[in-house]
Amino acid sequence: MSGDRRKEIVRHLSEDDLDRLLTESTDEKLTERLIFIKRLYKGATLEDAADDVGRSSATGTRWARRWNKGGLGLLMPNFGGGRPPKLGPAQRERLLDLLREGQPWKKQEIQHLINEEFDVEFHPAHLTTFLEKLGLSYAIPRTKRPSRPENAEEILDERVSDVFDEGSDEPHNKRDGDDEEGWVVDEEIRTDGGTVLGFLDTSHPQPWDNSQRLYTVDDPHITRPLVKLDEPAVGFYALSGESVLQFPTTQEKERICECLEGIREQNPLARILLVLDNFSSHVCEYTRKRAHQLGIDLVFLPVGSPDLNPIEQVWKSLKWEASPLIVENAAEYRALLTELFEKLTAQLSFAASWIDNHLGSYLQKLR
């Protein structure tokens, strides 16, 4: 009958034997399993029999399978003295292999996997603790872009190495096919005062962004003025030197070059190494040439690799801190963003792993 999950159960024992064992049992685990089997003997569905003893249908399915295979001996494992571990070392290693093959997972999917592979059921609260001890990460997975090369980090390492190579007379930003004219550093630009390394990126924070959870007694609403920031925010997160936040009217190449001029103005005496993405107004010859004239060497990230730009974490923190604050107009919001950006970019922690993974011995060359 459709939807009827009555289980064909092997009668290893008679009903009288089941009743006798129930009468004699002083073990809670044994008693609930015997009651479950007796209910199946009487024609109950798996769900109903499991529910009668306070167990899930998944547990009922597992118990019925064990009973059919080996009777009471397999249904009631001999735990010996003390509480047994849920999964032994070998089973944990096997579980990690399975999780690695099928990741990412939802918690309920992991519970089902453990049930199916090891005939073990965790309480939901304990499962969370178990997975933490197992070393699993619980986070929103980053979307991997199809255009991202498999060796993205190696490509970045090579580009960082190239920009620190001072043996070439060729302008670093120049590419094959570029016009030969104009690749000269402006006369007033000085680059002999050390090296500044920083990260550039564009974001579009808005006053209505809600990124932070807050406690409220009544409905969780915030009444905000209708304020909108039309222009993008272009940030420069400097590991050494001065960080800068600017608000150009557009992301066109001319406006991006004005942002580069602003970065140079705040860092007047040093060579500037600028890590950035492959946005069209960044990679075009116009921008690359102007950057060279300003004494700024560009280090382009591999395609589809925004996670390799530490300023992404700065933007995330900035939006989180700004989200519950109320402003009256766009000018006030820009001032708020500038204040938060200055505070956040004073911390090197956003770039700690980038420094360890990609800067290495070049760190001593930064002023």
Side-chain angles (χ1 to χ4, degrees):
M1 182 167 60
S2 177
D4 189 350
R5 289 197 61 201
R6 286 179 171 79
K7 178 73 174 178
E8 188 70 31
I9 199 76
V10 177
R11 292 179 175 261
H12 292 290
L13 298 173
S14 67
E15 289 191 42
D16 289 341
D17 288 336
L18 282 179
D19 289 337
R20 178 180 56 80
L21 289 172
L22 277 168
T23 301
E24 297 174 353
S25 175
T26 58
D27 187 314
E28 183 179 343
K29 292 181 181 293
L30 174 60
T31 299
E32 66 177 356
R33 286 164 171 76
L34 290 173
I35 292 174
F36 171 77
I37 296 299
K38 185 176 179 179
R39 291 286 289 119
L40 292 180
Y41 272 27
K42 294 292 188 180
T45 64
L46 278 172
E47 289 85 354
D48 288 343
D51 187 64
D52 286 344
V53 293
R55 295 289 181 166
S56 68
S57 59
T59 297
T61 299
R62 186 170 70 253
W63 284 359
R65 185 168 62 244
R66 286 180 175 180
W67 171 269
N68 283 346
K69 184 176 181 180
L72 187 60
L74 195 57
L75 178 63
M76 193 66 190
N78 179 17
F79 290 142
R83 184 177 180 179
K86 288 281 190 179
L87 295 177
Q91 292 173 312
R92 293 186 181 208
E93 288 299 321
R94 169 63 178 158
L95 176 60
L96 279 173
D97 289 339
L98 294 172
L99 293 174
R100 192 172 288 111
E101 291 173 7
Q103 62 186 333
W105 298 82
K106 297 178 181 177
K107 188 164 71 171
Q108 57 267 37
E109 292 174 336
I110 297 178
Q111 178 68 81
H112 180 72
L113 174 69
I114 294 173
N115 286 346
E116 291 297 312
E117 291 292 329
F118 306 105
D119 285 337
V120 168
E121 184 169 1
F122 283 88
H123 186 280
H126 180 62
L127 179 60
T128 300
T129 302
F130 171 73
L131 296 178
E132 289 176 355
K133 291 182 178 178
L134 206 58
L136 270 65
S137 298
Y138 186 61
I140 299 174
R142 291 195 304 265
T143 301
K144 185 176 181 181
R145 305 189 181 190
S147 57
R148 178 190 174 102
E150 290 296 328
N151 61 335
E153 299 214 14
E154 295 178 11
I155 293 173
L156 178 58
D157 286 340
E158 183 177 344
R159 292 176 181 176
V160 171
S161 176
D162 287 344
V163 80
F164 276 103
D165 181 7
E166 300 174 355
S168 175
D169 294 329
E170 187 75 9
H172 177 80
N173 300 336
K174 192 172 183 294
R175 295 181 176 179
D176 293 341
D178 286 344
D179 184 12
E180 295 296 328
E181 299 296 324
W183 293 94
V184 179
V185 177
D186 291 351
E187 290 184 3
E188 70 274 14
I189 299 297
R190 290 183 55 188
T191 59
D192 56 354
T195 300
V196 169
L197 173 65
F199 309 91
L200 183 130
D201 190 43
T202 301
S203 185
H204 295 82
Q206 293 294 344
W208 58 76
D209 288 338
N210 285 326
S211 305
Q212 189 172 156
R213 295 183 179 184
L214 301 169
Y215 288 102
T216 58
V217 176
D218 301 311
D219 290 340
H221 294 129
I222 297 177
T223 301
R224 301 179 185 271
L226 295 177
V227 177
K228 180 182 178 182
L229 197 65
D230 292 322
E231 64 268 24
V234 176
F236 174 66
Y237 171 33
L239 297 188
S240 56
E242 296 295 324
S243 297
V244 184
L245 182 64
Q246 302 173 84
F247 299 94
T249 54
T250 70
Q251 294 188 68
E252 295 176 349
K253 59 182 183 294
E254 292 85 1
R255 307 291 81 77
I256 294 299
C257 288
E258 289 173 0
C259 291
L260 298 183
E261 292 167 3
I263 293 170
R264 167 51 72 193
E265 182 178 345
Q266 294 300 315
N267 297 273
L269 303 177
R271 179 193 185 201
I272 299 175
L273 308 182
L274 191 62
V275 180
L276 70 170
D277 62 26
N278 294 268
F279 191 65
S280 57
S281 61
H282 298 170
V283 300
C284 67
E285 181 181 350
Y286 183 95
T287 300
R288 290 185 286 105
K289 183 180 292 186
R290 183 60 185 138
H292 176 75
Q293 293 167 354
L294 293 167
I296 300 174
D297 288 337
L298 305 179
V299 181
F300 290 104
L301 294 166
V303 174
S305 304
D307 58 295
L308 295 180
N309 194 342
I311 198 175
E312 295 283 351
Q313 296 304 313
V314 175
W315 291 132
K316 182 178 179 181
S317 295
L318 180 143
K319 292 177 181 179
W320 187 86
E321 291 202 21
S323 63
L325 305 178
I326 297 175
V327 295
E328 295 296 328
N329 51 59
E332 185 179 337
Y333 189 58
R334 283 191 290 268
L336 170 65
L337 294 179
T338 300
E339 179 183 347
L340 291 174
F341 190 83
E342 289 177 357
K343 182 184 78 170
L344 292 169
T345 53
Q347 307 171 37
L348 296 182
S349 56
F350 295 106
S353 62
W354 198 96
I355 293 171
D356 290 341
N357 295 333
H358 305 294
L359 202 52
S361 60
Y362 298 118
L363 182 60
Q364 61 186 354
K365 293 191 175 184
L366 302 184
R367 73 175 190 183

